[in-house]
Amino acid sequence: MAILDIVFYPDPRLKEECETVSEITDDIRKLLDNMAETMYDAPGIGLAGPQVGSNLRVCIVDVGGSDAEEGDEEEEVKPKDGSTLYKLINPRIVSKSGEIDSEEGCLSIPTIREKVTRAESVVVQALNERGEELEIQADGILSICLQHEIDHLDGVLFIDYLSRLKLQLVKSKLKKLIL
Ligand code: NI
């Protein structure tokens, strides 16, 4: 496994729509493994293809470490192998309900945290790295994280939801940081 370079805003690769994975090859599995290592190293709770320079519809999510207060509810959303890491191929949201505000950040937009409104609960369908179909019924932090990562696959960043004024403030903050 290897730690990959993270792509930072405003790199145009973060704004592209990703391509559907047509075949789950060893290269895809290796990419997902490397993405997991990169995410844990950062550390973060989610990472999507474009953030490591891939234009494929793949993402990983692991909210295990930050979900302790959710109590028993988290049990049912864990992957079957007992870990809390999801490796998702061609994930899509098939239903959403409710509304929830939370403060989000992104490994590609360092230091910025802003409040975003999202669906409270989502149902996501995807393939895992073995090509098996899986359905995740998520709420709380897992729901937010899944929506954030799937947005990445459509070239959408969490700051795209901010007001123009807020976005200007974020951009000037980032300019000082990166340029
Ligand atoms: Ni992100």
Side-chain angles (χ1 to χ4, degrees), residues 9-10 109-112 159 167-179:
Y9 179 88
I109 314 173
T111 75
I112 305 296
I159 56 173
L167 187 59
Q168 282 312 116
L169 290 170
V170 164
K171 279 181 179 170
S172 64
K173 227 187 209 177
L174 283 169
K175 242 176 216 160
K176 277 179 211 148
L177 186 80
I178 296 168
L179 302 178

Side-chain angles (χ1 to χ4, degrees), residues 96-164:
K96 45 171 88 175
S97 62
E99 219 174 74
I100 188 171
D101 287 342
S102 73
E103 210 172 69
E104 293 187 25
C106 179
L107 292 177
S108 294
I109 314 173
T111 75
I112 305 296
R113 293 193 68 83
E114 293 288 343
K115 196 174 86 176
V116 176
T117 304
R118 300 217 184 244
E120 187 176 18
S121 310
V122 292
V123 178
V124 169
Q125 288 178 349
L127 299 174
N128 67 15
E129 73 272 28
R130 294 180 294 278
E132 299 159 344
E133 283 182 34
L134 91 181
E135 184 170 279
I136 308 165
Q137 297 185 10
D139 48 29
I141 183 88
L142 180 59
S143 167
I144 292 160
C145 191
L146 285 166
Q147 292 173 76
H148 178 117
E149 299 313 326
I150 292 171
D151 265 356
H152 270 299
L153 307 181
D154 293 315
V156 175
L157 302 171
F158 81 97
I159 56 173
D160 293 335
Y161 295 106
L162 302 179
S163 68
R164 265 178 82 167

Side-chain angles (χ1 to χ4, degrees), residues 57-71:
R57 299 190 77 84
V58 295
C59 67
I60 57 165
V61 167
D62 188 346
V63 300
S66 58
D67 207 21
E69 76 274 26
E70 294 272 316

